[in-house]
Amino acid sequence: VRIGDGAWVGIGAIVLKGVLVGAGARIGAGAIVARDVPAGATVEGNPAQVVTA
Amino acid sequence: MTALAHDWFPQPLPDTVALGERSWLYSSYAFMHSHGTVRIGPDCGIYKGTHFELGPEGSVDIGSYCTIVGAIIRTNGHVAIGDMTFVAHEVVIADDPFAVPPRGAAEPGAASIMIGENAWIGARAILLGGTTIGDDAVVGAGAVVRGTVPAGATVVGNPAQVA
């Protein structure tokens, strides 16, 4: 697992094996992250998916 | 200054905390990181592991006959919990960006979280900013709720959906 600069991981979130979290990405509270998160993206849910504001 | 007779933590309750008659609170340690106002009604049980992490503008109102078994309540806005509501272990009620990343810069930080009467919040559920839980509603274990749960509804999952 690698988490980039300035990323933001919410309370209770789980980031699984091998996942790359891009710089400045946001992981919502309780999200289960099984796939890479692009830089600056926001992901939420189980499985975590990209959401737009 | 009110001190709990059974308290192991060597501090009285903060002046900004009001504990109703016959309500049980495990310790003043619950307010170790709180700078806001907490009003707890009569006949409630606030058990070990419950933490109030309120900003200076934050306020929490808890009704009567509520049971809270170790929730984290983190806000600089307002959280209201109605009478007879049960909140299970390790529930998170938070609108604070430190705990809950906002979706974008446009999303407001603090937003009220309202829980109705006789609701049941399952273990490890997460209630996000702006959430309203209706009377008699059930939130399943581990559900992540953003938005409104109608009265009497049961929601489960992440994101939470009506079951």
Side-chain angles (χ1 to χ4, degrees), chain A residues 8-11 26-31 42 44-46 51-53, chain B residues 72 92 97-105 126 128 144 146 158-159:
Chain A
W8 204 338
V9 183
I11 196 162
R26 298 160 189 243
I27 296 171
T42 300
E44 293 175 358
N46 177 18
V51 297
T52 45
Chain B
I72 294 172
V92 173
F98 194 82
V100 181
R103 280 179 168 169
I126 299 175
L128 299 172
V144 178
R146 177 195 291 271
N158 177 11

Side-chain angles (χ1 to χ4, degrees), chain B residues 30-97:
Chain B
F31 305 101
M32 173 89 174
H33 301 290
S34 182
H35 303 280
T37 305
V38 178
R39 288 175 289 264
I40 299 169
D43 303 295
C44 293
I46 312 294
Y47 296 100
K48 190 176 167 187
T50 301
H51 294 283
F52 295 86
E53 303 181 357
L54 310 187
E57 308 299 319
S59 63
V60 174
D61 277 306
I62 298 173
S64 52
Y65 296 100
C66 291
T67 302
I68 300 182
V69 197
I72 294 172
I73 301 176
R74 186 177 175 106
T75 183
N76 197 27
H78 183 57
V79 169
I81 300 178
D83 299 346
M84 313 288 289
T85 284
F86 174 76
V87 180
H89 292 83
E90 296 183 36
V91 167
V92 173
I93 300 172
D95 62 12
D96 183 301

